[in-house]
Amino acid sequence: MKILFNGKEILAEDGMTIAGLLEQRQLKPETVIVELNFQLVKKEKWSDTPLKENDSIEVLRFVGGG
Amino acid sequence: MSFYQETLGYKEFDYAQFFNRVTREDIGRILYQNRLSELDYLALLSPAAEECLEEMAQRAHRLTVQHFGRVILLYTPMYLANYCVNQCVYCGFGRQNPIERQKLTLEEVAAEAKMIAATGLKHILILTGESRQHAPVSYIRDCVKVLKQYFTSISIEIYPLAEGEYKELIAAGVDGLTLYQEVYDEEVYGQLHLAGPKRDYRWRLEGPERACRAGIRTVNVGALLGLHNWRSEAFFSGLHANYLQNRYTDVEVSISPPRMRPHAGGFPPRVVIRDKNLVQYILAFRLFMPRGGITLSTRESALLRDRLLKLGITKMSAGSCTAVGGRILGEEPTGQFDISDDRDVRAMAHMLYSQGYQPVFKDWQTLE
Amino acid sequence: MQDLFHIGGKELTSRLLLGTGKYASNQMIPQIMEASGSQVVTVAMRRVDTDFEEENILNHIPGNCVLMPNTSGARNAQEAIRIARLARAAGCGDWVKIEVISDNRYLLPDNYETIKATEVLAAEGFQVFPYMSPDLMVAKELVKVGAAAVMPLGAPIGSNRGLKTKELVRILIEEIPLPIIVDAGIGRPSEAAEAMEMGAAAILVNTAVATARDPVIMARAFGMAVEAGRAAFLAGPGAARQYASASSPLTGFLRED
C-alpha cells in the first residue's frame, strides 16, 4: 500500500503498524513523536495502530533550536 | 475595566506618608527619566518638589517645545444654554441660583458664530448646563450643524452622554470633548453635588472613555481646583488622562487645571490654590505626559497666563464670555463664572507673537 | 533582595533564556545551563531525517529546566498552531515560543501571522511567547489576545549584531504591561546588560553562546551580564544634571508675591 511518510510517498506492507514502520526505518521510538493524519498518536498505541492506504504519517523529534 | 477601577486602587492610599518620604534626590532622579511612573508623577506633586520648580520648569519647557513647537492653539467658548437641573454648590448655573435662564435660538447661534468667526478663530467650544429638557442632544446637534458653517473644529462641554449619543454628535461634526470630573475624590464629590443626574459620580467619570469609544478626536479632562486637596486631585487628573491615552492611542488627550473663580451663588473655594501650586501641577503633568495637551482658560489673569505660557501650555482661550448670548446681547447677563483675562483675539495673538510664539487658529478640519 | 521573575505561571530566579541550536555537541548543554544559571531552554521540532540518526535533545536538558518549544519552520499561523499542539501533546508543558517566518532572506518574523497564532493558542491555555519585530501596535494586539510576554528582536536572528532596535524596544518596555524579552540579535554580554538596564524583563540568547570560542565561559558571561543589567535597572541610575544654572529663569515670577 502507498502511504505518505514525512511528505514523501513510500510503499509499506499491508497491515504494518506505526511501531513496525519505525522499526523498519530504524527510528528509536523513545526519540520521536508521531502524528497520523494530523492527529498525535501516543507511544502506547503505536504497536496496535495499523496503517491504511493513503495514510499520512509525520515522524518528528525535538532538536536544538533558539 | 474602566478608570473607576483604577481609582479604587488608590482609595486607601496614604498621601501624607508618601509625601513625607519624597526627597530632593528623588525629584532629581525623576526629572531625568525618560518615562515617569504614576508614583513618580505623584512625587513631582509633593511639597518636596516645590524646591525644584525652576529645574522642573526648564525641563517642562524643553519637552513642550520639542513636542509641540512654539505654537499655542486659540479657541473660544460659546454658551448655548444655562438651564440646569443639577445643584452643584460651587457653580453659578446651579439650579439653586436665581439667575435668568436662557437658551439661544439657532438664529442667535448663527449670529454669535458670525461674530466669533470674524475674529479669525476656527476652534469653538460649546457649553450648556445639564437639562435634557431644554438642551437635549437633538438641540445640540442642530447647533453643531449651524456652527459647522463657521468653524473647522467643534468641541462640546455639556452633560455626560451615552456612547450612542456621542456617536450622533460626532457624526454631526463634533470632534472634541471637554468633561471635567470637578472632584475625583468620590466622597467629596458626593458632598458638593447635592441633586440632579450629576450626582452619579461614575457616569461622569466614564464619560470621556465613552466618547473615545465613540470615535472622538480630542478629549480634555481635569479637576476643578479649589474643591479638594489639589495634590491628589491633580494626581487623579493626570492618571485619568494617562489611562485614556494608553487605551485610545489615536485620541489627543489633554488636561485643564481650572482654578475656582467668583460666580453667582458665592461659594468660596474650600482650598486655596496658590500660583506656585498651579505652576507645580502644570510642570508635573508635562513631565508625566510629555505629549499631553494642557489647556489654560481665561479664569487666570492676563499677567499670569503670559508667564505660564512657556511652562507647558498648548491651548488657550481668547475673547471669552461665559454668559449665554453674551456677545450678541447688548448688556452682559450673569455668566457661569467671572473671567479674569478679557483680552480679545487680536490682543492674545499680539502677546503670543511678542513672546516668540505663533497663535494657531485652525489646527484641524474634519474631512467629510 | 529577592528579585523573582514571574512569567508564564512560573517563578524563576534567572532572567536569561537559552536556545539550544548550533552547538557543536548537545552533550555541552548541561554545562552551559549550569554556567549561565539559566532555567529556560528553547527547543525546536523537526521531521526526522531517516538517513541520519540523531539523538533526542531532551535527553541532554536538565530536569529542572522549563522547556520552551518553538514553532520554527512555521511559515504561517496554522503551521505554528499545529507545531505548538504537537509539542504540548508530546509532554513539553504549556509554554510555546511562536516563531513564524515567511522571509528566508532576513528571517524576520511575520507579525500578522504571529498575532493570529497567539490568539488561538492563548485561548487553548498555552503560555504564549511571541517572537516579533518591535512594533507598538502589534505588541498591543498581542497583549489583547493573551500573550504571556512579548519578545521583540534586537537584530535579525543569528546576526549577533546587537540591540539595533533599541529605541523601538524601549517604547515597548514603556508602553506594554507584559514582560518584554529581547530575543534574537544579541551578540555580546554588554548588549544584554544594556537591554536589561533599560528595563527588559529577560534576554533570550542562542547563537552568541553557541558559536563563541568557549561556549561555557560565554554562557557564564551572559548570566552575569543579565544579572548586572537587572540590578542596575532596579537600583535606578542617579540623575545626570543637565541644567546646572538656567540662563533665564521661568519661575522667577513666583517669588514676586
Side-chain angles (χ1 to χ4, degrees):
Chain A
M1 64 176 172
K2 271 189 295 185
I3 60 167
L4 217 52
F5 173 81
N6 282 1
K8 269 184 272 178
E9 210 172 84
I10 61 163
L11 286 171
E13 289 166 38
D14 285 357
M16 181 174 265
T17 61
I18 293 177
L21 181 74
L22 294 179
E23 196 184 335
Q24 188 202 50
R25 295 261 143 189
Q26 296 180 322
L27 292 167
K28 287 186 201 139
E30 64 275 14
T31 66
V32 298
I33 303 154
V34 174
E35 193 195 45
L36 181 61
N37 300 325
F38 298 94
Q39 296 288 323
L40 185 100
V41 184
K42 291 203 169 139
K43 218 159 269 191
E44 306 87 271
K45 297 258 174 80
W46 289 353
S47 42
D48 44 52
T49 308
L51 298 169
K52 301 183 302 296
E53 180 84 19
N54 294 327
D55 268 354
S56 169
I57 182 165
E58 288 279 348
V59 182
L60 307 132
R61 75 157 48 97
F62 284 107
V63 298
Chain B
M1 185 66 198
S2 85
F3 183 61
Y4 183 66
Q5 274 81 36
E6 303 251 318
T7 62
L8 294 182
Y10 286 99
K11 199 128 210 167
E12 306 298 324
F13 190 82
D14 188 339
Y15 291 93
Q17 191 187 48
F18 177 84
F19 287 144
N20 267 332
R21 289 190 185 155
V22 177
T23 63
R24 274 193 73 151
E25 285 64 41
D26 291 332
I27 303 300
R29 179 180 53 76
I30 291 166
L31 276 183
Y32 297 101
Q33 280 169 202
N34 270 316
R35 172 79 167 189
L36 273 57
S37 69
E38 293 180 353
L39 290 181
D40 289 337
Y41 172 49
L42 185 58
L44 294 184
L45 293 167
S46 70
E50 284 179 19
E51 305 298 311
C52 310
L53 285 188
E54 180 58 30
E55 207 173 352
M56 285 169 69
Q58 295 292 341
R59 176 106 172 124
H61 173 67
R62 260 178 46 132
L63 282 172
T64 310
V65 171
Q66 180 188 337
H67 292 303
F68 294 88
R70 294 176 193 277
V71 297
I72 296 284
L73 178 79
L74 293 179
Y75 72 97
T76 203
M78 174 171 171
Y79 283 72
L80 299 177
N82 60 5
Y83 290 94
C84 195
V85 296
N86 292 317
Q87 195 181 338
C88 314
V89 299
Y90 52 84
C91 178
F93 283 174
R95 74 179 190 199
Q96 70 279 14
N97 292 325
I99 59 165
E100 196 187 329
R101 301 290 168 169
Q102 279 166 314
K103 162 182 161 182
L104 297 184
T105 64
L106 295 183
E107 291 71 34
E108 288 167 331
V109 169
E112 185 152 334
K114 208 173 281 179
M115 284 180 69
I116 295 169
T119 66
L121 292 178
K122 291 288 176 195
H123 284 238
I124 191 137
L125 172 69
I126 53 175
L127 301 93
T128 67
E130 177 150 10
S131 170
R132 280 181 179 263
Q133 187 198 338
H134 291 98
V137 174
S138 56
Y139 165 72
I140 294 160
R141 188 194 57 216
D142 292 342
C143 291
V144 168
K145 284 181 181 161
V146 171
L147 293 167
K148 270 197 71 81
Q149 299 162 37
Y150 301 92
F151 303 100
T152 60
S153 169
I154 302 171
S155 293
I156 50 172
E157 185 174 343
I158 62 173
Y159 48 90
L161 302 181
E163 188 177 330
E165 292 172 319
Y166 281 127
K167 277 199 177 121
E168 189 184 337
L169 290 184
I170 291 166
V174 167
D175 61 83
L177 171 78
T178 287
L179 185 60
Y180 299 139
Q181 185 60 26
E182 322 288 14
V183 190
Y184 281 93
D185 185 297
E186 195 171 357
E187 203 183 313
V188 175
Y189 185 94
Q191 296 161 9
L192 299 175
H193 301 92
L194 303 179
K198 197 167 171 180
R199 277 189 66 75
D200 190 341
Y201 173 85
R202 202 167 156 177
W203 177 249
R204 189 172 187 88
L205 188 73
E206 292 170 357
E209 182 160 18
R210 289 195 296 278
C212 288
R213 278 203 297 264
I216 199 96
R217 232 186 68 85
T218 68
V219 156
N220 185 31
V221 297
L224 180 55
L225 302 175
L227 296 176
H228 186 50
N229 183 333
W230 74 269
R231 296 184 203 273
S232 58
E233 289 295 306
F235 179 52
F236 280 112
S237 302
L239 293 190
H240 198 179
N242 193 41
Y243 169 90
L244 294 169
Q245 192 67 89
N246 285 341
R247 272 158 196 80
Y248 304 93
T249 46
D250 55 344
V251 176
E252 231 179 271
V253 178
S254 57
I255 57 131
S256 287
R259 278 198 288 189
M260 282 191 66
R261 294 282 307 147
H263 63 91
F267 176 84
R270 288 182 152 198
V271 182
V272 175
I273 317 292
R274 300 167 53 103
D275 287 356
K276 71 170 182 180
N277 302 143
L278 181 65
V279 165
Q280 187 177 356
Y281 175 16
I282 290 170
L283 299 176
F285 178 76
R286 169 56 66 233
L287 298 179
F288 180 50
M289 286 185 67
R291 289 178 180 78
I294 304 178
T295 307
L296 191 64
S297 78
T298 53
R299 288 167 181 269
E300 301 302 339
S301 71
L303 187 65
L304 185 62
R305 290 223 298 170
D306 295 0
R307 286 160 161 177
L308 295 176
L309 170 64
K310 292 188 170 169
L311 303 183
I313 306 301
T314 58
K315 280 184 226 176
M316 288 174 124
S317 48
S320 294
C321 168
T322 70
V324 178
R327 295 183 184 85
I328 47 172
L329 306 170
E331 69 206 64
E332 180 92 346
T334 317
Q336 188 187 21
F337 57 87
D338 296 349
I339 61 171
S340 173
D341 177 358
D342 58 3
R343 285 176 292 185
D344 64 11
V345 176
R346 187 187 296 253
M348 279 297 291
H350 179 75
M351 179 278 284
L352 290 172
Y353 279 125
S354 72
Q355 292 220 45
Y357 280 71
Q358 184 186 162
V360 171
F361 297 97
K362 173 181 170 180
D363 185 38
W364 167 254
Q365 176 159 23
T366 317
L367 297 177
E368 306 293 310
Chain C
M1 181 186 61
Q2 183 80 321
D3 170 40
L4 294 172
F5 182 25
H6 293 271
I7 179 105
K10 310 227 184 259
E11 196 177 82
L12 307 174
T13 49
S14 164
R15 291 171 179 270
L16 176 63
L17 287 61
L18 286 180
T20 54
K22 301 186 188 173
Y23 282 97
S25 156
N26 287 340
Q27 318 259 344
M28 218 182 248
I29 292 173
Q31 272 174 282
I32 299 282
M33 298 306 290
E34 164 118 42
S36 66
S38 169
Q39 297 163 297
V40 178
V41 282
T42 59
V43 290
M45 200 185 251
R46 287 280 182 280
R47 274 176 170 170
V48 297
D49 176 356
T50 50
D51 301 329
F52 175 65
E53 180 64 20
E54 296 164 296
E55 53 194 349
N56 186 338
I57 186 129
L58 299 186
N59 295 338
H60 297 284
I61 293 174
N64 56 350
C65 287
V66 181
L67 279 181
M68 186 196 270
N70 68 28
T71 64
S72 71
R75 287 157 301 170
N76 55 45
Q78 222 178 348
E79 291 177 2
I81 292 165
R82 184 174 165 204
I83 296 170
R85 286 174 181 161
L86 273 175
R88 179 158 76 171
C92 272
D94 56 6
W95 282 32
V96 64
K97 166 178 163 180
I98 302 298
E99 180 177 333
V100 181
I101 292 176
S102 49
D103 150 49
N104 276 319
R105 195 175 167 83
Y106 300 102
L107 303 178
L108 290 171
D110 183 329
N111 280 351
Y112 178 66
E113 293 292 318
T114 299
I115 294 169
K116 288 201 284 186
T118 302
E119 178 162 28
V120 171
L121 293 170
E124 291 178 10
F126 280 89
Q127 300 289 344
V128 187
F129 295 78
Y131 165 61
M132 49 94 76
S133 282
D135 176 282
L136 180 59
M137 296 307 142
V138 170
K140 288 197 173 192
E141 206 53 41
L142 289 169
V143 174
K144 219 184 279 174
V145 302
V150 174
M151 304 212 291
L153 57 89
I157 208 165
S159 68
N160 277 355
R161 293 184 59 208
L163 201 51
K164 294 292 171 201
T165 57
K166 184 172 172 182
E167 291 309 315
L168 295 169
V169 170
R170 187 201 302 282
I171 290 171
L172 298 193
I173 290 170
E174 288 173 353
E175 297 293 333
I176 299 298
L178 293 176
I180 301 297
I181 302 174
V182 178
D183 180 3
I186 299 286
R188 299 156 184 271
S190 55
E191 293 152 2
E194 186 183 12
M196 292 301 293
E197 260 179 46
M198 244 165 74
I203 304 289
L204 199 163
V205 183
N206 187 351
T207 307
V209 173
T211 63
R213 196 157 39 82
D214 188 329
V216 175
I217 296 180
M218 189 57 95
R220 189 165 142 250
F222 266 101
M224 295 191 297
V226 166
E227 256 185 61
R230 175 66 183 174
F233 170 73
L234 292 177
R241 298 235 160 191
Q242 285 166 25
Y243 311 104
S245 62
S247 46
S248 54
L250 291 165
T251 56
F253 66 92
L254 290 175
R255 282 188 288 276
E256 288 166 20
D257 52 30

